[in-house]
Amino acid sequence: LFVICVASFGVCVYYATTLELPTSSDVRLLNSDHEYEKSFEWRQYLLSEQLEKLSGSTAYIIWGVSPADTGDQNNPASWTQLVLDGLFDPSSESAQNYLRLFCDDLFAQDFASPVDDEYVCPMVGFEDWLGEQSVAETPEEGYIEHCGGASTLPIPQANFNPCMSHWASSAEETSVLSRNGVVKVITIPFSSRVRYDSFFDVLDDEWNLIEDWMNTENGQAPEGVENAYFSSYDFWWYDTNRAMLSTAYSAAAIALGCSAAVILFSSRSVVLMLFSTLTIGFILTSVTAILVAIGWTLGFLESICFAILIGVSVDFVIHFSHAYSNKHGEINRMDRTKYALVKMGPSIAATAITTILSAVVMLFTIITFFQKFALILFFTVIQATVGSFIFLLTFLDCIGPTNPTYLVDKYIDCCTKATTDNDSGVDASRKRNKGSSSKRMDSTSRTAATRRESKASFDSSA
């Protein structure tokens, strides 16, 4: 039975690591046989839906804004404030040339294409306007006042900000934002090949591809325009997926760490803490392996359920561990295991039965979340019962400690003895000091008395 437990733990760990993220961002709350869900499934086959999915989405290259989040991250209604990049300065001639050629380099990449056939990048549109104004019979007053008669890029650095700010205002160019005649933000939109509901692996590959290209471009960019980055609403879901996966792993690690600390504190046994942590790990991995087997992915609803899984999985194990160490002294491990089973077994079994029955009732609900909640609760209690009664007790019966609190008790006794010896030493030192002080006081008193007697004798003789 011990070998079977070890082998099953290894198998569960292997299959638990194959848990995947969802392939779609859709959170379905109703059964597939519900009319609303049938309508949703039917719409997926419409040509308009297919064309919309194939059309990709819009992303942006951004200069002048720092990618900062100043809002309350725990409050979805709290949005960030705009944080300008104080190092952004496109006025130098090298920066102007770089930005003028940037669009050609961007749209030469496979991951980007113009948002429409008539799209013109802001720097290209600005240069075209300069050429038109330079040959116009009646150029605009802003051109005459700010642009210095320039006809092409680059223009003198002193003229760039006021000239481009005037052009953006007159042409209603929203991709160029200025403040007090100084260009503060420049954006370039492009059509991306992915959408928010694309597969996570596709989004991950696209994100890394664009991010690597942007890092290369920033490394080659002149001073003042080297902090560009790209952003898109479509990668919010990608980031959410990634966060759910990392949070699931971190939550499992936190649960194992906290439960290990509680077991060590309650049982005062390092060995019991180790066995209990392995049992909780078995419960987590076995339930995850079952969910993988039935086709679950780590979606939004599943992540909420996993938080419940982690909390429920530690309860039974802690009770058995505490009962095992409840008897003091050197006692046979088989007797300790029997005592823990008799002492806590009925209570744990009754708790498991009532929890399983409550989960069975929820399996017949209509809302998908409650069904998933019930299913994961059902499997968790089943595996927690198996893990506690079979996995943990088998380990304890075979290789459990006969005196589980020996090391901790010995350490506490040593600390107590050291403290007692130290206190005794201090008391002895105080007594010695007190005795010495008494002797000195007696000697002083005798000396004073002798002096008084001598003085009295002298006075009498006189």
Side-chain angles (χ1 to χ4, degrees), residues 92-200:
S92 67
E93 294 187 4
S94 59
Q96 294 177 47
N97 286 326
Y98 173 79
L99 292 175
R100 179 171 57 86
L101 299 174
F102 185 86
C103 277
D104 293 336
D105 294 337
L106 173 64
F107 295 138
Q109 308 303 315
D110 294 335
F111 59 78
S113 58
V115 290
D116 57 61
D117 296 336
E118 298 180 356
Y119 174 74
V120 178
C121 284
M123 293 299 289
V124 177
F126 177 49
E127 186 176 42
D128 293 342
W129 178 79
L130 289 174
E132 294 172 359
Q133 293 297 313
S134 65
V135 297
E137 294 182 1
T138 56
E140 298 178 10
E141 293 183 2
Y143 171 79
I144 298 173
E145 181 181 357
H146 300 298
C147 300
S151 60
T152 185
L153 293 177
I155 64 176
Q157 186 170 358
N159 298 111
F160 177 81
N161 280 309
C163 183
M164 190 171 191
S165 297
H166 169 74
W167 166 77
S169 177
S170 61
E172 298 182 352
E173 179 60 59
T174 58
S175 61
V176 178
L177 303 180
S178 302
R179 173 184 288 179
N180 299 326
V182 178
V183 176
K184 292 295 186 180
V185 179
I186 296 178
T187 61
I188 297 178
F190 66 92
S191 291
S192 175
R193 298 177 297 185
V194 296
R195 282 168 42 93
Y196 73 95
D197 54 358
S198 299
F199 291 173
F200 177 84

Side-chain angles (χ1 to χ4, degrees), residues 77-315:
S78 173
W79 286 73
T80 184
Q81 300 296 315
L82 189 65
V83 180
L84 296 178
D85 180 10
L87 300 177
F88 175 61
D89 182 12
S91 62
S92 67
E93 294 187 4
S94 59
Q96 294 177 47
N97 286 326
Y98 173 79
L99 292 175
R100 179 171 57 86
L101 299 174
F102 185 86
C103 277
D104 293 336
D105 294 337
L106 173 64
F107 295 138
Q109 308 303 315
D110 294 335
F111 59 78
S113 58
V115 290
D116 57 61
D117 296 336
E118 298 180 356
Y119 174 74
V120 178
C121 284
M123 293 299 289
V124 177
F126 177 49
E127 186 176 42
D128 293 342
W129 178 79
L130 289 174
E132 294 172 359
Q133 293 297 313
S134 65
V135 297
E137 294 182 1
T138 56
E140 298 178 10
E141 293 183 2
Y143 171 79
I144 298 173
E145 181 181 357
H146 300 298
C147 300
S151 60
T152 185
L153 293 177
I155 64 176
Q157 186 170 358
N159 298 111
F160 177 81
N161 280 309
C163 183
M164 190 171 191
S165 297
H166 169 74
W167 166 77
S169 177
S170 61
E172 298 182 352
E173 179 60 59
T174 58
S175 61
V176 178
L177 303 180
S178 302
R179 173 184 288 179
N180 299 326
V182 178
V183 176
K184 292 295 186 180
V185 179
I186 296 178
T187 61
I188 297 178
F190 66 92
S191 291
S192 175
R193 298 177 297 185
V194 296
R195 282 168 42 93
Y196 73 95
D197 54 358
S198 299
F199 291 173
F200 177 84
D201 292 339
V202 175
L203 286 168
D204 186 58
D205 292 341
E206 195 76 357
W207 169 270
N208 290 310
L209 176 64
I210 302 175
E211 186 73 5
D212 291 342
W213 184 81
M214 286 299 306
N215 291 334
T216 302
E217 284 293 314
N218 286 334
Q220 301 171 353
E223 184 178 0
V225 291
E226 72 275 27
N227 293 326
Y229 63 94
F230 84 99
S231 181
S232 172
Y233 290 108
D234 299 285
F235 288 102
W236 286 8
W237 171 244
Y238 159 76
D239 186 62
T240 301
N241 263 333
R242 186 170 56 180
M244 287 192 298
L245 182 61
S246 62
T247 302
Y249 290 146
S250 61
I254 292 172
L256 289 174
C258 292
S259 59
V262 171
I263 293 170
L264 179 61
F265 178 78
S266 61
S267 66
R268 296 185 301 167
S269 172
V270 177
V271 179
L272 279 181
M273 178 194 69
L274 177 61
F275 288 169
S276 300
T277 304
L278 288 175
T279 305
I280 296 171
F282 166 76
I283 297 170
L284 293 174
T285 54
S286 62
V287 174
T288 305
I290 293 174
L291 299 181
V292 171
I294 62 178
W296 275 32
T297 56
L298 189 61
F300 176 73
L301 298 179
E302 291 81 1
S303 298
I304 298 175
C305 294
F306 261 85
I308 302 165
L309 155 68
I310 295 170
V312 174
S313 60
V314 304
D315 194 20

Side-chain angles (χ1 to χ4, degrees), residues 2-37:
F2 177 80
V3 174
I4 293 175
C5 290
V6 174
S8 61
F9 181 59
V11 173
C12 291
V13 170
Y14 171 76
Y15 282 102
T17 56
T18 62
L19 180 65
E20 297 179 350
L21 292 169
T23 58
S24 173
S25 62
D26 291 321
V27 180
R28 314 312 308 168
L29 298 178
L30 299 173
N31 291 329
S32 58
D33 57 351
H34 196 279
E35 294 300 324
Y36 284 124
E37 293 301 311

Side-chain angles (χ1 to χ4, degrees), residues 316 346-358 381-382 384-385 389:
F316 298 167
S347 300
I348 292 177
T351 303
I353 292 173
T354 54
T355 309
I356 291 172
L357 292 177
S358 65
V381 176
I382 291 292
T385 305
F389 279 91

